[in-house]
Amino acid sequence: TETLQKERELESKMSLLREVHHRVKNNLQVIASIMRMQARRAKNEEAKALLDESVNRVLSVAVVHEFLSQNAQGTINLKEVAHRIIGQLQQGLIDPQKRIRLSLEGPTIWLPAERATQCALLINELVQNAIEHGMANRDEGNIVVELVDRGEEVKIIVSDDGEGLPIGFDLATDANLGLNIVRSMVERDLKGRFQLLSDGGTQAIVTFIKSVIGGN
């Protein structure tokens, strides 16, 4: 019947789309592996650090494509994405000799794929920043990623009990590359708000709406 034929065509298209996302994920992982090898060979510590940070950015995008390869409907479970990214950072950036714990709190939140990709990068940058700066001189500590669902509005809160922000810190002038990436993505792509608070540690708060704004 015509209905059955349309269903078969749709399933064929969805299978093709899943395969595309699977291949994109694999290609991103290959790129990350090459960059990781370059980082190991880098003699300049700054260059090595920049390559390591870029590896994590690439892998955070690969996570989203992995989920899309399993479900090509276009909506992504943000909590699962965050859980995967936190695991990658725990394994890749934290010295196993240190007692620095990463944890995730909050409900399941479904987002459009574009929003989920942006959030994956934001979570990667904020957690990485907390590890590299908040926990720079500590052997133990806690970093918590909290997801808050307020209906159409979502909050991502990354808190640490580390060093806190330097006295007089100004996000507009003192932010490093990672925080500048976050601020730019929040304001330009998510059309949301980004705050940094410091009181016995640091708290980064990203607020945005779930739906993609036209022309975004």
Side-chain angles (χ1 to χ4, degrees):
T1 65
E2 184 178 350
T3 301
L4 183 59
Q5 180 64 26
K6 287 182 179 179
E7 288 177 353
R8 287 175 176 171
E9 290 177 358
L10 179 59
E11 178 55 34
S12 177
K13 290 178 181 178
M14 297 300 284
S15 295
L16 179 60
L17 190 54
R18 286 193 293 268
E19 177 61 22
V20 168
H21 285 297
H22 180 71
R23 293 187 182 187
V24 170
K25 178 209 69 170
N26 287 346
N27 288 339
L28 288 171
Q29 289 178 334
V30 168
I31 292 170
S33 295
I34 293 171
M35 294 171 68
R36 190 179 285 118
M37 285 190 289
Q38 290 178 320
R40 288 174 185 151
R41 295 178 181 178
K43 296 180 180 179
N44 183 289
E45 286 301 315
E46 182 180 359
K48 182 181 184 303
L50 289 172
L51 283 166
D52 284 336
E53 289 177 1
S54 297
V55 165
N56 289 320
R57 291 181 184 120
V58 172
L59 289 177
S60 68
V61 177
V63 166
V64 176
H65 284 283
E66 181 178 356
F67 283 109
L68 285 170
S69 72
Q70 300 163 6
N71 171 23
Q73 295 295 332
T75 56
I76 299 292
N77 184 337
L78 178 60
K79 189 171 186 178
E80 289 185 354
V81 170
H83 183 266
R84 185 70 62 84
I85 290 171
I86 287 171
Q88 289 179 172
L89 292 173
Q90 179 87 52
Q91 184 177 15
L93 287 184
I94 295 179
D95 185 340
Q97 301 298 319
K98 295 185 176 183
R99 298 184 300 279
I100 296 174
R101 180 173 175 265
L102 305 184
S103 59
L104 174 64
E105 299 176 357
T108 294
I109 300 175
W110 292 91
L111 292 177
E114 181 181 352
R115 278 282 196 263
T117 302
Q118 293 157 351
C119 288
L121 284 166
L122 294 176
I123 292 169
N124 175 80
E125 295 298 334
L126 292 174
V127 174
Q128 189 164 269
N129 190 72
I131 294 170
E132 294 179 352
H133 298 282
M135 300 294 166
N137 301 312
R138 301 189 62 180
D139 291 328
E140 61 181 303
N142 295 285
I143 299 170
V144 180
V145 178
E146 181 184 0
L147 307 179
V148 180
D149 190 347
R150 292 184 171 174
E152 183 58 19
E153 186 179 77
V154 174
K155 278 192 175 185
I156 300 173
I157 305 170
V158 178
S159 306
D160 69 69
D161 56 1
E163 301 294 328
L165 296 172
I167 295 174
F169 180 87
D170 186 343
L171 182 59
T173 57
D174 301 327
N176 56 29
L177 176 60
L179 291 178
N180 277 321
I181 288 173
V182 171
R183 186 177 63 165
S184 176
M185 290 186 64
V186 172
E187 295 176 355
R188 181 195 64 209
D189 301 322
L190 293 174
K191 300 294 189 288
R193 303 186 303 277
F194 177 42
Q195 298 171 277
L196 273 180
L197 307 175
S198 186
D199 183 14
T202 303
Q203 188 177 64
I205 306 170
V206 174
T207 308
F208 62 96
I209 62 171
K210 291 179 183 177
S211 56
V212 178
I213 299 172
N216 196 20

